[in-house]
Amino acid sequence: MSIAARIPTADDAALDAVLAGRHADPFAVLGPHRHGDGVLTRVFMPGALEVEWQDVEGRQRQPMHRIREQGLFAIERADAAEPYRLCIQWPDARQVTEDAYAFGLLIDDADLHAFASGDADAARDILGALPCTVDGVEGVRFAVWAPQASRVSVVGPFNAWDGRRHPMRKRHVAGVWELFIPRLGVGERYQYELLDAHGNLLPLRADPMARWSDAPPGTASRVALRSDFTWRDSNWMQARGRRQRAESPISVYEVHAGSWMDLHDDNDDREPWDRLGDRLIPYIHDMGFTHVELLPVATHPFGGSWGYQPLGLLAPMASLGSPVAFARFVDRCHMQGIGVLIDWVPAHFPTDMHGMGRFDGSALYEHADPREGFHPDWKTFIYNFGRNEVRAFLLASALEWLLRYHVDGLRVDAVASMLFRDYSRRDGEWIANIHGGRENYEAVAFLKDLNRMVEARGDGAITVAEESTAWPGVTASCEHGGLGFSYKWNMGWMHDTLRYFSRDPIHRSWHHDDITFGLLYVFGEHYVLPLSHDEVVHGKRSLLGRMPGDAWQRLANLRALYGLMWAYPGKKLLFMGGEIAMPEEWDHDRPLPWFLLDANDHKGIQRLVRDLNRGYASESALHATDSDVRGFRWVVADDRERSVFAFLRSSGEHQVLVACNLTPQPRHAYRLPVPDAGIWREILNTDAEPYGGSGDGNGGFACAHIADDASAFLELELPPLAVLWLRREGE
């Protein structure tokens, strides 16, 4: 009797389901199974001409029987425990491999339960494509969360993208599908093919937990090593907690990696991250910035989103190079004493068909109701922060950047949109929380979990919130009712200050409060002062383009803006191109116009920013009390008519006086009260000739005198549209 005849007819329906690629449990049919006194082994190799069974040494060989024309082969042997390999003859190749369906369960139940409970480490450990060795066989273990799918398969060039070849096993405890495919290696391309709960074929999906992805327009994921880089930055890592605390100078250069310079070079076969690092890292070091902040480098399908609509939250953007190349870039930054922050987007994700939207045919990562799950402004899906597995996925992404890539901090994008359920929605377009309010309790809990995790495991890493509302305690500790961020962008300062500087100086006296108002709240949080990419796009004009007046006045206004910003309480952030006074808006498709530095005016702005960074870092009075009201005192806050401001920054015995004249009219012998008589050295003058200014000023120092009432005062020359810094130096 033939082996085909001995197969029970009760298996026919199951075999038909395997052949059609619709069996929910392929391990119940394929691989070795006890049959009578022996073992019946079935393999499904559609397109194969013949399949041979072999022992692992290749000494015993036996052809398998074709029991279905579609490519189902079987063999019956007596030894139940005997390991084996398959020798497959394809029309154009011969393949020897172990049988993917000969391996047992791959993931412990405890790890699956941990993931289902929201454990980020479990998500990192079990999900994705992980090279490993199982029963002495090297290969790749695939695991993906898709609880509502009726079938999930791994597809790729290794199986001709045929979803019938490698269907996965479902672990019902967590809705995770798993499969070990022998002899696959690092760099292999793959995607997932899913049938929804009703058996409908879905578009091929990229792996949400992929550590490496194809560059767009490709959509495939790629197998990456978990640890594939030798770090040299131990000194930096040990010291970064001190470097990033609230008392330290932090000056951030914000960069869109794809457009800082032209990264295409036919004569240089190195990866773009390496070519960028050659130029960008020395530049940042020379300019005195303490950190570089990268617009999102996670995989995103549309370059025009600048990375803010990512789909591969664990994979660096492949158009800039491999994951190892990104690690090299971070390591090189650290070796030069430069911290690396990345913009990270846990608020929403795009609707591209290969992405996470309706991943298994159901609302998995997002809310089902569009009033909660769809963002009307960005036309994107909103994560369901109340779902354990979604929180685990997002937190796993954060850990990947912090632990695998040694990133020094996450600037969390669009926090305001996460905190409020009615963000950018009209009445009737949103769902209230359980108490009838607009706060998103689930998002708040997630952000607190994130910040607790970073504080506990980040070894001095920081989180920065892009948050534009008056939500209280964004940078307060979670234990004291706050969200737990390290810093918050001071969007109020940015809007008020840019509005003020955009006005013709003749009108500024009517808007004096735009400068003074921020001091009412600036010490309530740990702030970063951001002049970011968002302020130089979408018709807002460049920073220079916002300034009023003729060509000289526009440059003078920009210099004064920077002089005030670097002296104002808060850490600093400047988007690339601001330091060379770009006259046009930023264009992500073009490199920065470095030719501007051929002109002395633009070179002067660059020189000023360099000196501002160095002065800010060297003067403790300008950074050590950024969050301490005792380190700031108004000297002149009410001279509206002349648009003059002056304040004192202090740290212990160190004092810096900041005087601003924000009109084109020089102010002669302008009297300013100061704490002590003696010498005050002019350490910075934005109107100095090397910066492109007129050279007006105080000759490098001024002497404070004693008035009749025994108080001390300075009489200063205040240059037009300029800011002065003066340091108290002694009697």
Side-chain angles (χ1 to χ4, degrees):
M1 181 182 296
S2 71
I3 191 170
R6 293 201 301 272
I7 297 175
T9 56
D11 286 348
D12 285 349
L15 295 180
D16 289 342
V18 168
L19 299 179
R22 293 185 173 275
H23 200 293
D25 184 12
F27 280 82
V29 177
L30 301 177
H33 294 269
R34 286 198 172 275
H35 185 239
D37 296 330
V39 173
L40 179 65
T41 300
R42 302 187 190 95
V43 299
F44 183 37
M45 300 291 173
L49 301 179
E50 58 184 41
V51 179
E52 182 180 76
W53 182 98
Q54 300 180 355
D55 66 7
V56 292
E57 280 113 20
R59 295 174 183 171
Q60 299 183 48
R61 300 168 179 264
Q62 189 173 348
M64 299 186 73
H65 301 272
R66 183 186 292 270
I67 59 174
R68 292 291 179 93
E69 287 303 316
Q70 296 95 324
L72 187 66
F73 297 82
I75 188 171
E76 188 173 13
R77 293 181 57 83
D79 192 340
E82 187 174 18
Y84 63 94
R85 298 184 304 187
L86 304 172
C87 181
I88 309 161
Q89 182 62 56
W90 302 103
D92 56 357
R94 192 171 184 83
Q95 177 188 12
V96 177
T97 184
E98 288 73 21
D99 184 0
Y101 297 92
F103 297 90
L105 300 178
L106 303 172
I107 303 172
D108 291 340
D109 278 352
D111 291 333
L112 292 169
H113 280 293
F115 166 63
S117 300
D119 189 309
D121 288 303
R124 292 182 74 222
D125 289 342
I126 68 176
L127 296 179
L130 304 178
C132 61
T133 300
V134 178
D135 297 340
V137 178
E138 293 184 354
V140 177
R141 188 193 75 190
F142 296 89
V144 62
W145 179 52
Q148 297 303 314
S150 59
R151 190 262 288 169
V152 182
S153 296
V154 186
V155 297
F158 50 87
N159 61 16
W161 302 93
D162 188 340
R164 299 172 297 170
R165 285 274 303 277
H166 287 107
M168 306 174 78
R169 169 167 43 207
K170 185 176 185 180
R171 304 295 301 278
H172 292 272
V173 66
V176 170
W177 298 74
E178 64 175 16
L179 186 69
F180 175 72
I181 302 183
R183 306 200 182 199
L184 292 188
V186 174
E188 194 73 58
R189 299 170 64 240
Y190 71 97
Q191 285 183 290
Y192 293 116
E193 181 182 282
L194 296 89
L195 302 182
D196 68 13
H198 306 290
N200 300 311
L201 182 65
L202 301 173
L204 290 182
R205 306 296 199 192
D207 186 352
M209 288 289 292
R211 273 78 173 180
W212 190 5
S213 300
D214 274 354
T219 59
S221 304
R222 303 183 70 179
V223 177
L225 288 174
R226 283 293 300 269
S227 178
D228 51 4
F229 186 73
T230 301
W231 292 89
R232 305 171 298 165
D233 64 348
S234 58
N235 290 338
W236 167 270
M237 295 295 285
Q238 291 170 10
R240 75 174 178 185
R242 171 179 54 81
R243 292 171 179 257
Q244 300 190 140
R245 63 190 182 188
E247 297 79 19
S248 299
I250 296 178
S251 181
V252 183
Y253 187 55
E254 190 189 28
V255 170
H256 178 258
S259 62
W260 187 78
M261 60 174 279
D262 187 355
L263 295 174
H264 302 289
D265 188 343
D266 294 335
N267 298 316
D268 189 343
D269 59 0
R270 296 177 305 154
E271 298 187 70
W273 279 119
D274 296 318
R275 297 199 294 272
L276 179 66
D278 286 350
R279 294 272 301 276
L280 177 60
I281 295 171
Y283 180 78
I284 293 172
H285 184 268
D286 175 67
M287 289 295 295
F289 289 99
T290 64
H291 289 70
V292 59
E293 180 174 320
L294 300 169
L295 270 63
V297 296
T299 297
H300 49 280
F302 175 51
S305 78
W306 313 328
Y308 291 98
Q309 293 196 13
L311 281 177
L313 263 68
L314 287 79
M317 189 67 177
S319 58
L320 294 170
S322 66
V324 174
F326 178 66
R328 274 197 304 271
F329 177 84
V330 176
D331 195 47
R332 291 174 68 184
C333 286
H334 289 173
M335 297 295 286
Q336 289 296 313
I338 299 167
V340 179
L341 311 177
I342 63 168
D343 285 9
W344 183 63
V345 188
H348 62 125
F349 61 94
T351 60
D352 296 66
M353 296 300 291
H354 69 281
M356 293 176 286
R358 307 296 189 265
F359 185 79
D360 61 359
S362 69
L364 193 60
Y365 289 88
E366 72 277 27
H367 289 275
D369 192 318
R371 293 175 296 172
E372 293 181 290
F374 187 76
H375 199 292
D377 288 349
W378 303 318
K379 306 297 186 287
T380 50
F381 289 125
I382 299 171
Y383 287 107
N384 183 349
F385 302 109
R387 190 161 191 171
N388 289 340
E389 298 89 345
V390 174
R391 289 200 307 274
F393 163 72
L394 291 172
L395 294 175
S397 165
L399 282 178
E400 193 78 4
W401 296 108
L402 296 173
L403 301 184
R404 177 174 182 173
Y405 293 110
H406 288 201
V407 162
D408 302 295
L410 305 173
R411 179 275 206 177
V412 183
D413 184 63
V415 170
S417 74
M418 301 169 66
L419 294 175
F420 295 102
R421 289 174 163 268
D422 63 344
Y423 182 88
S424 197
R425 296 178 188 272
R426 297 188 293 267
D427 289 344
E429 294 180 347
W430 58 283
I431 298 176
N433 61 36
I434 58 173
H435 296 123
R438 53 197 289 259
E439 299 83 4
N440 189 328
Y441 294 148
E442 295 80 9
V444 170
F446 164 74
L447 291 172
K448 290 184 176 183
D449 287 347
L450 167 71
N451 290 318
R452 288 191 188 100
M453 181 186 74
V454 174
E455 182 180 13
R457 303 183 57 186
D459 291 329
I462 60 174
T463 57
V464 183
E466 186 211 20
E467 205 284 312
S468 56
T469 74
W471 186 281
V474 172
T475 59
S477 69
C478 298
E479 289 69 25
H480 291 90
L483 295 181
F485 282 94
S486 310
Y487 297 97
K488 169 182 173 174
W489 275 18
N490 193 336
M491 307 294 281
W493 171 88
M494 179 272 296
H495 287 299
D496 291 348
T497 303
L498 287 182
R499 183 171 59 243
Y500 180 89
F501 273 86
S502 298
R503 299 185 189 279
D504 189 303
I506 198 172
H507 301 303
R508 287 177 178 171
S509 63
W510 300 99
H511 303 280
H512 206 70
D513 294 344
D514 281 346
I515 300 297
T516 60
F517 177 72
L519 271 302
L520 297 177
Y521 62 81
V522 72
F523 301 108
E525 303 273 8
H526 299 304
Y527 278 116
V528 173
L529 310 180
L531 294 180
S532 75
H533 66 281
D534 276 332
E535 310 319 315
V536 293
V537 291
H538 301 323
K540 297 176 184 175
R541 297 170 292 172
S542 68
L543 294 179
L544 180 64
R546 290 170 178 249
M547 301 296 109
D550 58 25
W552 188 92
Q553 290 182 347
R554 291 169 63 203
L555 288 162
N557 270 297
L558 186 62
R559 293 193 299 268
L561 168 62
Y562 291 163
L564 174 61
M565 172 181 172
W566 259 260
Y568 194 93
K571 311 312 177 186
K572 323 303 174 189
L573 180 140
L574 181 66
F575 183 57
M576 65 183 200
E579 82 281 12
I580 60 174
M582 283 178 57
E584 306 296 335
E585 286 189 345
W586 167 58
D587 182 348
H588 65 271
D589 288 327
R590 294 187 298 176
L592 295 183
W594 294 107
F595 62 85
L596 291 173
L597 294 177
D598 294 336
N600 288 332
D601 289 341
H602 293 272
K603 190 74 174 177
I605 297 285
Q606 185 190 52
R607 185 178 293 115
L608 171 64
V609 172
R610 182 188 294 114
D611 288 350
L612 287 169
N613 277 328
R614 291 174 177 172
Y616 164 69
S618 64
E619 299 291 339
S620 64
L622 294 177
H623 62 254
T625 55
D626 274 337
S627 302
D628 188 344
V629 67
R630 295 171 295 179
F632 180 93
R633 193 181 85 190
W634 278 115
V635 174
V636 175
D638 57 356
D639 192 349
R640 293 175 175 269
E641 182 179 352
R642 289 176 287 190
S643 297
V644 171
F645 304 87
F647 52 85
L648 197 69
R649 298 291 310 276
S650 60
S651 172
E653 297 180 354
H654 302 283
Q655 297 178 332
V656 172
L657 176 68
V658 180
C660 313
N661 174 19
L662 301 182
T663 70
Q665 178 65 43
R667 305 298 176 188
H668 302 294
Y670 192 97
R671 179 174 287 202
L672 292 171
V674 291
D676 301 296
I679 302 299
W680 289 76
R681 184 164 301 280
E682 191 176 79
I683 57 176
L684 185 129
N685 177 357
T686 66
D687 192 48
E689 290 182 357
Y691 306 143
S694 64
D696 195 3
N698 298 276
F701 70 94
C703 184
H705 301 285
I706 301 298
D708 293 340
D709 61 359
S711 63
F713 69 92
L714 286 170
E715 285 191 347
L716 294 179
E717 295 296 309
L718 301 184
L721 296 172
V723 173
L724 304 179
W725 295 1
L726 298 101
R727 180 179 61 225
R728 172 76 162 81
E729 289 206 340
E731 300 300 327

